[in-house]
């Protein structure tokens, strides 16, 4: 469900810092020994040379013939296609989960001076687009898990629906209680827009795609931008995984399953308590015209030529009806396994989801096409004699769009085995939405990502590598962090602490989650030569091959130490002026840095030893070192989880409480500071101090894992 965001919402960048750490990494690790123990295997360069853009394009064409929402017949055909295309032993695992479908929707505008306007709530594809003939098979535009109800009330306008936007309305004296809030897409997770509106007292919510954000040029099929009837469908679930099985999973056909009931899910705020609908730019404009009251602030206005936006309430009154069906359905994850030769019980996992709101050419099947093409290359390596040292597992998830459900149920079901055996999880959701590589990772993988980016040519400028264009482009030249829950890495990182990566080409795409995300859009705008697909598979595969084949795991915790410190500084600023002390956290971060340096020294020492010695004798030492490298991330997991949202157990990276897409460092401290600022009680600030100590203890645990000795 990779969100489309406005360019202004891009994450902070630290290209310089990263460069420094990488330089340091090279200085500290290059030795003759390195050449024999961790140098790229000849199979790795062979992997790069075996790429095929015609294979990705034909997989994508097959996967995007029909709209294939989770649990539909079309999505099970897609599952069979993936199963039979994997050139390795493959299987599928099915779960019974709560999905949501629209039964009835209607929207009309009742203005005092003119007859009612009924909105069709239908996207209209161009007849010249081959997909248009089957577009009516897509699910009607809706918000999954929206509350069912009928509301007739005046409109208010709330910009991007963030907490600060409702604060602005309040400061301007606008009371949204009992009104229908009209908000724009583009800054935060839609489930949080609805939640924020509900908390402010709204009776219902309409979320539209403003031309200013989604139609900056010619619209599809003439250009890449969202047509005026385009609607962003999506989930409003504010939880990861099936909300009826919050910490566990229920396999399809299993009779005895504990389930939480719907009322409790709504009461906890995981499902909305007021109705909502997503609507088009055109319908949003109509509604703006019906509103009066104060003129909205300058930055809340639309693009040149659109009517002036007012805040309301009214006089326009809308009548909104939504009736949904929340129902248990069967979903299907598909896996292929390439068993490791030396360490079959160590897993390198690659994952992408398959289910799509519509055709899913970008989201997610560009990633599925890349995964299948990558698998074909691995199969060719295998025919030439390659066997990975560790086991590689290719995962194709279902029901990601509903709330990361397929991946989360699987992680919950396999929690203890994954905790003891998973080396890393490499996620690719939408592999390609345009030019420009971007990646996020847990920091011990930064240097490996950068190394891999130096091995692959930039598909948009073959005279240089991806590294050259990635690191040199100022607003994107950095590795982002994985605190956000925008895709299937969330359960791996935030629930069980597996080192992870998430990557793609492109920086958002305007037809996101609309009927226009189809093969023609990809062919014309996303990736006309399918060379970006190939490059995505190359980096993804190369990172996987290093993790699967290197004798010593290519993790570097020095970069982690610096990121821990950077995050601590940011969060300390949030608490500035209050009497909480961050020194316990800083102290444990310094110990962590020492431990990271020590394990790098241990790596070098072992490498030197391995250089001359028969490897078999040192397998147990190697295993011991690798286990320390693999398990350090797990130490950031706290059994109790974040207070009030216990599923989130990672104390260093997590979502923002008010934006599920937002990534925060030290989410527990962050939550506590937010509460303390609101109440400003000494008890609340004591909780902040408690959270600082708790994070400090987690960092300390990670240092002892890296050090590998008992006290
Ligand atoms: C907003 O309106 C509601 C109902 O109309 C009322 O109960 C509430 O007190 C109002 N809030 C403010 C801050 O005026
Ligand atoms: C709102 O729409 C519903 C469904 O179309 C209809 O039953 C109801 O009478 C309408 N209410 C008003 C106030 O127009
Ligand atoms: C809800 O969906 C289920 C199938 O998943 C179906 O059996 C049931 O009839 C639907 N309910 C309504 C009211 O349409
Ligand atoms: C593959 O790439 C070549 C060279 O860049 C290009 O000519 C060809 O059209 C591409 N194939 C597809 C299916 O896009």
């Amino acid at each position: 469900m990779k969100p489309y965001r406005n360019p202004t919402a891009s994450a902070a960048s630290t290209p310089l810092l990263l460069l420094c750490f990488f330089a340091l990494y090279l200085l500290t690790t290059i030795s003759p020994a390195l050449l024999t123990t961790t140098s790229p295997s000849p199979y790795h360069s062979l992997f790069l040379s075996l790429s095929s853009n015609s294979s990705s394009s034909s997989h994508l064409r097959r996967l995007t013939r029909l709209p294939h929402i989770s649990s539909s017949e079309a999505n099970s055909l897609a599952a069979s296609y993936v199963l039979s295309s994997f050139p390795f032993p493959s299987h599928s695992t099915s779960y019974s989960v709560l999905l949501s479908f629209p039964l009835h929707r209607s929207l009309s505008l009742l203005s005092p001076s003119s007859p009612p306007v009924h909105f069709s709530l239908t996207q209209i594809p161009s007849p010249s687009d081959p997909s248009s003939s089957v577009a009516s098979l897509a699910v009607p535009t809706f918000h999954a898990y929206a509350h069912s109800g009928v509301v007739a009330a005046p409109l208010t306008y709330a910009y991007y629906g963030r907490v600060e936007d409702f604060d602005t309305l309040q400061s301007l004296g606008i009371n949204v209680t009992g009104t229908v809030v009209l908000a724009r897409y583009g800054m935060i997770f839609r489930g949080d827009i609805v939640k924020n509106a509900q908390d402010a007292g709204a009776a219902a919510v309409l979320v539209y795609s403003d031309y200013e954000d989604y139609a900056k040029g010619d619209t599809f099929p003439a250009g890449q931008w969202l047509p005026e009837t385009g609607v962003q469908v999506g989930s409003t679930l504010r939880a990861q995984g099936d909300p009826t099985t919050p910490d566990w999973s229920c396999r399809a056909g299993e009779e005895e399953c504990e389930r939480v009931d719907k009322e409790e899910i709504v009461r906890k705020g995981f499902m909305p308590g007021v109705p909502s609908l997503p609507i088009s730019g055109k319908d949003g404009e109509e509604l703006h015209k019906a509103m009066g009251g104060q003129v909205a602030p300058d930055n809340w206005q639309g693009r040149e030529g659109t009517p002036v936006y007012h805040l309301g309430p009214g006089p326009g009154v809308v009548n909104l009806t939504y009736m949904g069906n929340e129902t248990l359905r069967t979903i299907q994850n598909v896996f292929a396994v390439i068993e490791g030769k030396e360490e079959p019980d160590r897993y390198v996992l690659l994952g992408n989801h398959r289910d799509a709101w519509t055709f899913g050419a970008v989201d997610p099947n560009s990633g599925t096409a890349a995964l299948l093409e990558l698998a074909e290359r691995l199969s060719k390596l295998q025919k030439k004699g390659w066997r990975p040292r560790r086991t590689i597992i290719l995962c194709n998830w279902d029901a990601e769009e509903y709330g990361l459900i397929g991946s989360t149920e699987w992680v919950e079901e396999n929690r203890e085995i994954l905790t003891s055996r998973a080396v890393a999880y490499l996620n690719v959701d939408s592999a390609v939405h345009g030019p420009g590589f971007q990646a996020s990772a847990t920091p011990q993988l930064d240097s490996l990502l950068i190394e891999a980016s130096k091995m692959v040519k930039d598909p948009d400028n073959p005279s240089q590598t991806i590294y050259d264009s990635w690191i040199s482009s100022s607003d994107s030249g950095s590795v982002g962090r994985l605190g956000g829950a925008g895709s299937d890495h969330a359960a791996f990182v935030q629930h069980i602490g597996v080192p992870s990566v998430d990557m793609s080409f492109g920086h958002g795409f305007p037809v996101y989650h609309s009927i226009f995300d189809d093969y023609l859009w990809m062919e014309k705008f996303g990736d006309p030569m399918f060379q970006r697909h190939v490059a995505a598979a190359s980096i993804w595969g190369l990172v996987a091959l290093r993790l699967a084949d290197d004798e010593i795991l290519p993790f570097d915790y020095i970069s982690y130490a610096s990121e821990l410190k950077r995050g601590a500084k940011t969060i300390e600023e949030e608490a500035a002026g209050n009497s909480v002390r961050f020194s316990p956290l800083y102290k444990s971060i310094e110990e962590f840095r020492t431990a990271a340096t020590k394990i790098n020294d241990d790596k070098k020492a072992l490498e030197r030893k391995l250089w001359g010695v028969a490897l078999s004798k040192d397998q147990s030492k190697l295993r011991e070192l690798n286990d320390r490298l693999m398990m350090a991330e797990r130490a950031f997991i706290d059994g109790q989880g974040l207070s009030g949202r216990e599923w989130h157990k990672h104390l260093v990276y997590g979502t923002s409480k008010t934006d599920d897409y937002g990534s925060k460092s030290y989410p527990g401290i962050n939550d506590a500071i937010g509460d303390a600022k609101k109440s400003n009680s000494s008890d609340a600030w004591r909780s902040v101090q408690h959270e600082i100590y708790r994070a400090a203890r987690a960092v300390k645990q990670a240092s002892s894992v890296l050090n590998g000795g008992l006290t």
Side-chain angles (χ1 to χ4, degrees):
M1 70 178 161
K2 265 316 145 54
Y4 168 75
R5 281 186 185 240
N6 299 325
T8 46
S10 70
S13 58
T14 50
L16 203 67
L17 261 181
L18 267 171
L19 272 175
C20 296
F21 297 128
F22 183 60
L24 196 74
Y25 173 83
L26 279 186
L27 282 175
T28 53
T29 55
I30 284 197
S31 69
L34 187 76
L35 299 177
T36 57
T37 60
T38 59
S39 74
S41 124
Y43 289 117
H44 297 185
S45 27
L46 185 59
F47 172 81
L48 293 179
S49 71
L50 291 170
S51 69
S52 161
N53 64 337
S54 65
S55 166
S56 336
S57 92
S58 79
H59 287 308
L60 189 69
R61 201 183 274 280
R62 275 297 296 268
L63 288 161
T64 59
R65 268 186 196 163
L66 295 171
H68 50 287
I69 191 172
S70 181
S71 81
S72 65
E73 181 64 32
N75 199 40
S76 90
L77 285 176
S80 308
Y81 178 72
V82 172
L83 259 175
S84 62
S85 301
F86 273 143
F88 299 103
S90 55
H91 66 279
S92 75
T93 305
S94 297
Y95 298 93
S96 169
V97 303
L98 190 77
L99 299 186
S100 157
F101 300 90
L103 294 174
H104 177 71
R105 314 155 305 143
S106 76
L107 180 68
S108 50
L109 176 62
L110 320 167
S111 83
S113 50
S114 40
V117 181
H118 299 286
F119 296 94
S120 74
L121 306 178
T122 305
Q123 306 182 81
I124 303 174
S126 158
S128 69
D129 182 342
S131 294
S132 63
S133 62
V134 285
S136 63
L137 299 176
V139 70
T141 55
F142 81 124
H143 278 158
Y145 306 102
H147 188 78
S148 292
V150 185
V151 173
L155 286 162
T156 47
Y157 172 46
Y159 200 29
Y160 289 111
R162 297 166 295 188
V163 170
E164 62 262 40
D165 300 328
F166 287 101
D167 289 347
T168 302
L169 284 174
Q170 196 184 21
S171 71
L172 293 170
I174 309 288
N175 187 351
V176 304
T177 304
T179 69
V180 175
V181 160
L182 176 67
R184 291 156 68 145
Y185 271 122
M187 282 293 183
I188 60 170
F189 170 56
R190 71 186 79 67
D192 291 313
I193 299 179
V194 177
K195 173 72 161 56
N196 296 339
Q198 181 184 334
D199 288 350
V205 188
L206 295 166
V207 192
Y208 78 105
S209 308
D210 197 286
Y211 298 146
E212 190 189 30
D213 304 316
Y214 292 86
K216 298 184 196 195
D218 287 344
T219 57
F220 186 63
Q224 63 156 317
W225 296 94
L226 184 68
E228 60 177 16
T229 65
V231 176
Q232 182 190 125
V233 173
S235 180
T236 51
L237 185 67
R238 294 176 65 257
Q240 276 69 46
D242 179 353
T244 70
T245 60
D247 260 318
W248 61 94
S249 56
C250 180
R251 288 287 281 274
E254 198 172 318
E255 273 158 27
E256 289 285 341
C257 278
E258 181 184 1
R259 291 195 190 264
V260 174
D261 55 50
K262 193 177 154 185
E263 290 65 39
E264 187 176 341
I265 298 168
V266 175
R267 191 170 48 72
K268 288 193 166 161
F270 296 143
M271 263 160 67
V274 298
S276 67
L277 276 179
I279 59 172
S280 68
K282 186 164 173 252
D283 294 351
E285 184 172 17
E286 275 313 301
L287 296 183
H288 271 300
K289 284 190 205 157
M291 292 170 67
Q294 287 182 48
V295 171
D298 281 353
N299 56 331
W300 289 35
Q301 295 295 329
R303 69 170 183 209
E304 284 283 315
T306 40
V308 173
Y309 296 169
H310 292 75
L311 298 175
V317 169
V318 289
N319 181 11
L320 176 163
T321 312
Y322 176 76
M323 293 295 159
N325 186 7
E326 276 81 55
T327 165
L328 293 177
R329 293 285 190 97
T330 299
I331 63 164
Q332 205 181 351
N333 293 331
V334 174
F335 302 91
V337 179
I338 312 165
E339 199 175 312
K341 190 159 165 239
E342 284 90 2
E343 300 185 74
D345 62 344
R346 288 294 175 266
Y347 308 143
V348 175
L349 303 126
L350 289 73
N352 151 267
H353 73 97
R354 179 183 66 255
D355 65 302
W357 288 123
T358 66
F359 295 99
V362 174
D363 181 6
N365 302 121
S366 56
T368 321
L371 184 66
L372 293 177
E373 195 260 333
L374 183 163
E376 283 156 13
R377 292 196 229 175
L378 294 182
S379 159
K380 287 178 190 155
L381 291 191
Q382 207 180 35
K383 293 201 174 83
K384 296 204 186 293
W386 167 80
R387 284 281 305 276
R389 177 181 176 86
R390 306 183 180 86
T391 294
I392 294 177
I393 305 177
L394 309 176
C395 316
N396 186 232
W397 311 117
D398 199 351
E400 188 270 359
E401 295 295 1
Y402 277 91
L404 321 179
I405 294 182
S407 58
T408 302
E409 297 311 304
W410 190 74
V411 167
E412 288 169 350
E413 183 176 37
N414 295 286
R415 187 185 62 220
E416 295 306 320
I417 293 188
L418 289 172
T419 295
S420 58
R421 299 182 176 183
V423 169
Y425 174 69
L426 312 175
N427 192 62
V428 172
D429 183 315
S430 308
V432 182
H433 21 107
F437 180 71
Q438 60 170 343
S440 298
T442 48
Q444 73 277 63
L445 281 160
D446 289 356
S447 54
L448 175 59
L449 255 179
I450 290 172
E451 281 177 64
S453 76
K454 290 183 166 178
M455 304 282 292
V456 181
K457 282 201 183 101
D458 177 1
D460 291 285
N461 182 358
S463 69
Q464 58 182 28
T465 66
I466 287 174
Y467 171 84
D468 297 326
S469 38
W470 176 34
I471 296 296
S472 70
S473 76
S474 57
D475 69 337
S476 58
S478 72
V479 183
R481 297 302 155 214
L482 289 174
S487 191
D488 291 306
H489 55 80
F492 289 92
V493 179
Q494 294 155 25
H495 195 59
I496 62 170
V498 172
S500 297
V501 171
D502 179 57
M503 53 196 159
S504 66
F505 277 88
H507 301 276
F509 63 110
V511 298
Y512 168 68
H513 284 193
S514 77
I515 198 77
F516 305 102
D517 177 7
D518 66 11
Y519 189 85
L520 183 67
W521 191 91
M522 180 60 80
E523 203 179 29
K524 285 186 83 160
F525 304 108
D527 196 6
M529 295 291 179
F530 283 83
Q531 294 296 352
R532 294 171 192 152
H533 279 77
V534 158
S538 290
I539 287 224
W540 196 7
L542 203 53
V543 169
L545 283 169
R546 289 285 309 278
L547 289 164
D549 286 344
D550 282 13
E551 284 183 316
I552 299 182
L553 288 173
F555 287 166
D556 179 17
Y557 282 90
I558 299 276
S559 167
Y560 219 131
S562 306
E563 284 293 299
L564 287 174
K565 189 158 179 182
R566 194 169 71 91
K569 283 190 170 147
T570 309
I571 195 94
E572 187 178 20
E573 282 161 21
E574 291 287 317
N578 291 285
S579 62
V580 288
R581 290 178 307 105
F582 280 79
S583 44
L585 182 56
Y586 285 118
K587 181 161 175 290
S588 61
I589 293 171
E590 281 320 304
E591 288 165 14
F592 183 91
R593 186 184 297 282
T594 308
T597 309
K598 178 180 176 300
I599 199 162
N600 278 358
D601 292 344
D602 293 352
K603 271 157 76 173
K604 273 183 285 175
L606 189 64
E607 272 163 5
R608 244 173 263 126
K609 214 159 155 202
L610 292 178
W611 194 29
V613 174
L615 287 184
S616 56
K617 290 192 191 145
D618 277 84
Q619 289 301 323
S620 68
K621 281 216 175 84
L622 195 54
R623 180 72 167 220
E624 189 272 344
L625 180 71
N626 281 332
D627 280 356
R628 282 152 61 196
L629 289 164
M630 177 178 82
M631 295 304 285
E633 183 78 32
R634 311 289 197 266
F636 298 129
I637 294 296
D638 181 289
Q640 287 177 5
L642 301 182
S643 129
R645 41 194 193 127
E646 288 71 21
W647 184 89
H648 295 265
K649 299 191 187 297
H650 202 288
L651 296 189
V652 177
Y653 293 112
T655 56
S656 150
K657 217 176 189 175
T658 55
D659 177 16
D660 196 57
Y661 290 164
S663 173
K664 289 284 177 193
S665 294
Y666 307 108
I669 306 179
N670 190 66
D671 287 355
I673 291 177
D675 293 345
K677 279 183 170 168
K678 255 186 243 146
S679 71
N680 211 13
S681 69
S682 54
D683 267 2
W685 284 106
R686 255 197 301 284
S687 301
V688 175
Q689 191 65 59
H690 168 67
E691 290 295 337
I692 295 170
Y693 276 119
R694 197 151 82 110
R697 287 193 290 270
V699 173
K700 217 177 163 120
Q701 291 287 344
S703 307
S704 38
V705 174
L706 287 178
N707 285 329
L710 295 170
T711 57

